[in-house]
Amino acid sequence: MTIKSLLSTVSLALLVGGVSAAAQAQIAVGHLADYSGATSEVGQPYGQAVADTFAWINKNGGIGGKQVKLDTNDYGYQVPRAIALYKKWSGAEKVAAIMGWGTADTEALTGFVAQDKIPYISASYAAALTDPEGASGKAKPAPYNFFYGPSYSDAMRALVTWAAEDWKAKGKPGKPKFVHMGANHPYPNAPKAAGEALAAELGFEVLPAIVFALTPGDYSAQCLSLKSSGANYAYLGNTSGSNISVLKACKTAGVDVQFLGNVWGMDENAAKTAADAADGVVFPLRTAVIWGGNAPGMKTVQEISKMSDPTGKAYRAVHYIAGVCSGLYTKEALDWAAKNGGATGENVAKGFYQKKDWVPAGMEGVCNASTWTEKDHRGTLKVDLYRMKVAGATDGDLNDLMSKGTIKLEKVKTIDLPRKPEWLGW
């Protein structure tokens, strides 16, 4: 071997060694985001929150002195692309955790993440993801799936419970009529059976579902069907983009119904776009306060927000704050793992079981206390219901509209659901 080739070999070895050392000095986390697909109107603020949270974590020392390498990918709400990214993240340089997004892709990957022992902290709150052992027989075991907030099914149960009380309080005669509306897709369908079952149990007449796509469009026909059905309460199972189309079309059609929105179905941006058509929609919130709310933890949220908005002037919708909570729960699970054998997927999953009634440090009064156990991944059964209030024109800056009270989120009620074993997994 010549001196030149020997030096080249040594240089290559040093380079590879340097890359390997750099990789070891980082903790890899996958991040699946929808910035361009059918749910991007809510995927963007949530995904930005996850990115900002991990940037803030790195700025403040990382995890056990190691920086988090967050691999953010816009998969456009397409399951095949999510699966391709998962193959990358579960390969040679295996990630310690994945911050996931949609229901169809999360459910498609449930068996794989269990097999590969990679915690998958999704923005899908499908109840099928809450049964770690598959004990209910209603869903396959999901020991490595976690999410922050009530499940879609439990949120829908809370809405139906409130609707029954609302009907009684109004003193109206006869049985109230309830209808589920949404795309024929795993996400809006996830809570359908659970919600309809409780509605029937509470005395509702459950009407045939009305289908509308996940994307915005002309849903005049669906609104005319809703009007002729005589429904009193209509659950909107889609994200806000297509829900806005329905709300506007139904207002034009003169539909008199109490709309109930799922957790992704209504927010401040949706109210700005839908204007008075959004007035009165009742929907669940995952956090105890909205942007700028009076809570000690809001200071932390605002500092995290500055990672992508140094001016501090951007208004952050409810989904952004929920994304921060999700990221910080994951951060503390990673912290525990780093101190107890290393930030491997198996240890990170154990990290989620270490605390009871848990709020991440610095997030007091913002994130609702959560508890995950090895037998039950329903982090919380507390559901805070809010009513969207819109009074006046919604042109202009969202900060101004919120500060003036043109758009308001009004607390309706907190529903504390029982932890029924038979509700686990569906």
Side-chain angles (χ1 to χ4, degrees):
M1 181 179 286
T2 66
I3 292 176
K4 184 177 180 181
S5 63
L6 179 62
L7 288 172
S8 297
T9 303
V10 171
S11 298
L12 180 61
L14 288 170
L15 177 62
V16 170
V19 171
S20 177
Q24 288 174 4
Q26 294 180 323
I27 294 172
V29 174
H31 178 206
L32 203 63
D34 181 14
Y35 293 156
S36 60
T39 62
S40 57
E41 73 280 356
V42 290
Q44 197 284 327
Y46 184 92
Q48 186 65 63
V50 171
D52 287 351
T53 300
F54 280 97
W56 179 83
I57 290 166
N58 284 338
K59 182 183 176 184
N60 288 277
I63 305 294
K66 293 184 178 182
Q67 294 284 284
V68 176
K69 182 184 178 184
L70 187 73
D71 186 15
T72 299
N73 288 264
D74 172 16
Y75 78 119
Y77 206 62
Q78 296 177 34
V79 175
R81 288 173 68 179
I83 292 171
L85 284 163
Y86 178 76
K87 287 179 181 176
K88 170 190 170 186
W89 290 330
S90 59
E93 292 187 19
K94 191 173 176 182
V95 297
I98 296 172
M99 304 301 293
W101 178 246
T103 298
D105 36 276
T106 301
E107 290 186 345
L109 292 169
T110 295
F112 293 105
V113 300
Q115 177 183 306
D116 298 328
K117 298 182 178 179
I118 301 176
Y120 199 94
I121 303 91
S122 70
S124 167
Y125 311 139
L129 307 171
T130 64
D131 186 357
E133 298 180 328
S136 65
K138 295 165 184 167
K140 59 185 174 183
Y144 279 79
N145 286 92
F146 300 87
F147 57 75
Y148 162 70
S151 74
Y152 293 142
S153 294
D154 288 333
M156 190 171 173
R157 288 181 178 113
L159 286 163
V160 168
T161 299
W162 171 81
E165 294 171 358
D166 180 63
W167 184 258
K168 202 173 287 184
K170 288 174 177 172
K172 294 194 175 182
K175 293 178 72 170
K177 295 180 179 181
F178 172 83
V179 64
H180 177 284
M181 300 180 68
N184 187 15
H185 180 277
Y187 151 57
N189 282 342
K192 184 173 179 290
E196 289 181 342
L198 184 60
E201 187 182 318
L202 293 174
F204 285 87
E205 179 185 343
V206 178
L207 304 174
I210 296 174
V211 177
F212 68 101
L214 272 171
T215 50
D218 180 2
Y219 298 120
S220 302
Q222 284 86 343
C223 288
L224 292 173
S225 295
L226 179 62
K227 189 174 185 178
S228 64
S229 75
N232 306 108
Y233 298 89
Y235 173 84
L236 297 173
N238 289 1
T239 52
S240 58
S242 53
N243 285 354
I244 290 166
S245 296
V246 168
L247 291 168
K248 286 183 170 181
C250 288
K251 184 169 183 63
T252 300
V255 177
D256 181 18
V257 68
Q258 173 63 63
F259 282 110
L260 310 171
N262 82 93
V263 71
W264 297 109
M266 180 51 59
D267 63 13
E268 300 94 327
N269 288 312
K272 175 174 163 50
T273 304
D276 59 352
D279 187 50
V281 176
V282 174
F283 64 105
L285 216 62
R286 288 146 295 182
T287 55
V289 290
I290 64 170
W291 181 252
N294 184 21
M298 186 50 60
K299 182 180 177 183
T300 304
V301 179
Q302 290 170 335
E303 285 302 311
I304 289 170
S305 174
K306 287 178 183 176
M307 301 308 298
S308 62
D309 173 40
T311 68
K313 292 179 180 178
Y315 182 91
R316 302 297 193 179
V318 292
H319 308 307
Y320 183 94
I321 303 171
V324 171
C325 287
S326 185
L328 290 179
Y329 276 111
T330 305
K331 184 256 186 195
E332 294 198 2
L334 285 162
D335 277 336
W336 185 90
K339 295 171 186 171
N340 291 274
T344 64
E346 197 168 4
N347 285 340
V348 175
K350 289 177 184 175
F352 277 96
Y353 303 141
Q354 299 307 310
K355 299 178 185 178
K356 187 178 179 182
D357 296 329
W358 167 24
V359 173
M363 293 296 283
E364 293 78 12
V366 175
C367 307
N368 285 323
S370 302
T371 304
W372 294 271
T373 72
E374 293 179 356
K375 294 184 179 295
D376 192 339
H377 282 193
R378 290 177 288 183
T380 181
L381 288 155
K382 173 188 171 187
V383 186
D384 292 321
L385 299 180
Y386 280 74
R387 179 182 282 108
M388 185 59 74
K389 301 294 289 181
V390 181
T394 56
D395 300 330
D397 180 69
L398 187 56
N399 264 316
D400 291 339
L401 294 170
M402 297 299 297
S403 63
K404 291 174 183 175
T406 305
I407 297 174
K408 275 198 284 190
L409 280 76
E410 175 185 271
K411 180 77 174 284
V412 175
K413 188 169 186 177
T414 295
I415 306 282
D416 287 304
L417 293 167
R419 192 173 288 275
K420 291 186 176 183
E422 62 268 30
W423 283 357
L424 179 64
W426 80 292

